[in-house]
């Protein structure tokens, strides 16, 4: 009987030790990801209203229409439904806030995205804003409610 109890205790001890080792590796990976995100705040993920939203890339170009020139800020966005119900996500849910607190609506003359996501489903696409003002924050603002924001880096 003592051998059985000792064997079970040993197996449990080894199992629990292995699980805690995996946790340490996961924590290290998470810390590394957070350090990378701190260096580039636009690459940080946020979970908002059941959606995990990540700004994957930010680009700055020039948009010329006739004689009118504006800076074009384009963001590649990835969204994942982290909830158990369907969620919608699209370009129209984002606005760009400038340093002087003005809101710039998306430039719908360029590529946009949007769809309803089932639980666990991912969607990515681009949202672009044309302005000559200095951008400050990209804001996730579905139905007029500001739910999340990301810092914008500007090439100077």
């Amino acid at each position: 009987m003592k051998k059985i109890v000792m064997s079970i205790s040993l197996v449990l001890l080894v199992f629990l030790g292995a699980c805690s080792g995996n946790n340490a590796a996961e924590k290290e990976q998470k810390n590394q990801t957070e350090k990378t995100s701190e260096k580039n705040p636009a690459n940080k993920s946020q979970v908002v209203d059941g959606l995990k939203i990540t700004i994957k890339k930010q680009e700055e170009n020039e948009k010329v229409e006739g004689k009118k020139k504006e800076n074009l800020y384009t963001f590649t966005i990835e969204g994942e439904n982290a909830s158990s119900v369907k969620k919608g996500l699209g370009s129209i849910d984002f606005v760009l806030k400038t340093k002087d607190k003005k809101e710039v609506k998306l430039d719908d003359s360029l590529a946009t995205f949007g769809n309803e996501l089932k639980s666990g489903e991912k969607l990515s696409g681009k949202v672009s804003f044309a302005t000559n003002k200095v951008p400050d924050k990209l804001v996730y603002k579905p139905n007029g409610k500001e739910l999340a924001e990301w810092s914008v880096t500007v090439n100077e």
Side-chain angles (χ1 to χ4, degrees):
M1 183 70 176
K2 284 185 179 181
K3 287 184 180 181
I4 293 173
V5 171
M6 291 291 279
S7 296
I8 291 173
S9 297
L10 185 60
V11 168
L12 285 174
L13 194 59
V14 169
F15 178 74
L16 292 174
C19 288
S20 69
N22 287 343
N23 258 351
E26 287 174 7
K27 285 180 184 176
E28 179 61 30
Q29 184 178 9
K30 183 178 179 184
N31 287 341
Q32 197 64 21
T33 302
E34 287 174 355
K35 286 178 186 174
T36 303
S37 295
E38 288 170 7
K39 292 176 189 170
N40 182 4
N43 198 21
K44 194 171 185 181
S45 295
Q46 293 188 42
V47 178
V48 183
D49 193 31
L51 291 168
K52 180 180 178 184
I53 302 172
T54 307
I55 310 306
K56 292 289 196 179
K57 185 177 178 185
Q58 175 189 323
E59 300 172 72
E60 185 177 338
N61 295 298
E62 189 174 73
K63 181 180 180 185
V64 179
E65 283 186 23
K67 294 183 180 183
K68 186 177 178 184
K69 288 184 183 180
E70 291 182 300
N71 291 324
L72 183 66
Y73 300 95
T74 302
F75 302 88
T76 302
I77 297 170
E78 180 180 272
E80 179 179 1
N81 186 349
S83 75
S84 59
V85 296
K86 291 180 181 178
K87 295 284 183 177
L89 178 67
S91 299
I92 194 132
D93 297 327
F94 294 89
V95 295
L96 185 68
K97 277 200 174 175
T98 61
K99 294 274 186 193
D100 62 357
K101 308 296 182 214
K102 303 284 185 201
E103 283 188 5
V104 179
K105 298 213 184 277
L106 80 120
D107 186 338
D108 57 4
S109 68
L110 300 167
T112 58
F113 73 98
N115 208 351
E116 188 174 70
L117 303 171
K118 295 177 186 173
S119 181
E121 193 173 29
K122 288 184 180 181
L123 172 70
S124 64
K126 294 184 178 191
V127 61
S128 299
F129 304 91
T131 183
N132 283 325
K133 297 186 183 252
V134 179
D136 185 34
K137 307 254 185 227
L138 177 66
V139 180
Y140 176 60
K141 190 176 176 181
N143 301 319
K145 292 182 182 179
E146 291 186 19
L147 299 180
E149 63 182 35
W150 294 265
S151 297
V152 175
T153 54
V154 181
N155 297 332
E156 295 188 74

